């Protein structure tokens, strides 16, 4: 099992960060995801499909703790198996939000070294993009 654990901070309150995280339609505006391929309910059990380049991945929401924790698992991913991740939001004492995005996964042998570096960078970009976008659109 391989893992990543990245953080970013935003001056926006957890409510603003949460609103963007929960609304999959906003993800292409603040992440490296090109498009939302399908839209379903945003509750636990919902499956969302995202396209990045030519690759489409599907993720199932597994837990929602409003303004605190968003967890999901890979429902369909051509490169990863046993993928589980969570985004945790922590209100900072001086205002703002610390975003912690972490996950675990398995990858086939020939892809492990590449995915370890790629996913850490990709997920750091996701957390940073979310933090910066939330600061711009504060809700």
């Amino acid at each position: 099992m391989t893992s990543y654990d990245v953080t970013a901070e935003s001056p926006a309150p957890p409510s603003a960060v949460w609103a963007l995280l929960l609304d999959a339609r906003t993800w292409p505006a603040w992440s490296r995801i090109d498009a939302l391929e399908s839209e379903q309910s945003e509750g636990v059990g919902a499956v969302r499909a995202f396209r990045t380049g030519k690759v489409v991945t599907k993720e199932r929401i597994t837990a929602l703790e409003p303004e605190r924790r968003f967890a999901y698992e890979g429902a369909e991913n051509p490169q990863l198996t046993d993928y589980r991740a969570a985004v945790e939001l922590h209100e900072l004492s001086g205002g703002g939000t610390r975003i912690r995005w972490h996950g675990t996964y398995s990858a086939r042998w020939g892809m492990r070294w590449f995915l370890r570096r790629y996913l850490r960078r990709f997920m750091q970009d996701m957390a940073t993009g979310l933090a910066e976008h939330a600061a711009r659109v504060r809700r």
Side-chain angles (χ1 to χ4, degrees), residues 7-136:
T7 61
E9 291 186 1
S10 176
S15 59
V17 177
W18 179 259
L20 292 171
L21 188 60
L22 198 60
D23 185 353
R25 294 170 300 182
T26 70
W27 287 39
W30 52 263
S31 74
R32 293 172 49 188
I33 290 173
D34 296 327
L36 174 66
E37 290 286 315
S38 66
E39 230 175 300
Q40 289 188 8
S41 167
E42 295 295 326
V44 172
V47 175
R48 305 185 300 178
F50 296 99
R51 182 175 46 80
T52 305
K54 294 180 181 180
V55 178
V56 175
T57 59
K58 293 182 181 179
E59 298 171 347
R60 180 179 300 106
I61 298 171
T62 58
L64 295 172
E65 297 173 36
E67 298 182 20
R68 293 188 51 223
R69 185 170 181 270
F70 175 93
Y72 61 97
E73 65 186 6
E76 186 178 312
N77 187 312
Q79 304 299 328
L80 306 176
T81 58
D82 303 319
Y83 181 52
R84 295 192 186 347
V87 183
E88 297 170 352
L89 307 179
H90 302 279
E91 187 167 8
L92 298 172
S93 60
T97 307
R98 175 174 293 117
I99 301 163
R100 177 180 178 224
W101 203 314
H102 57 98
T104 60
Y105 60 93
S106 295
R108 65 179 200 255
W109 186 82
M111 292 295 291
R112 286 182 197 151
W113 67 271
F114 171 75
L115 285 174
R116 179 172 304 174
R117 294 185 74 196
Y118 175 80
L119 268 181
R120 187 174 311 275
R121 186 173 38 241
F122 186 91
M123 301 315 288
Q124 182 64 63
D125 288 349
M126 294 284 286
T128 301
L130 175 58
E132 292 172 353
H133 196 69
R136 287 191 298 270

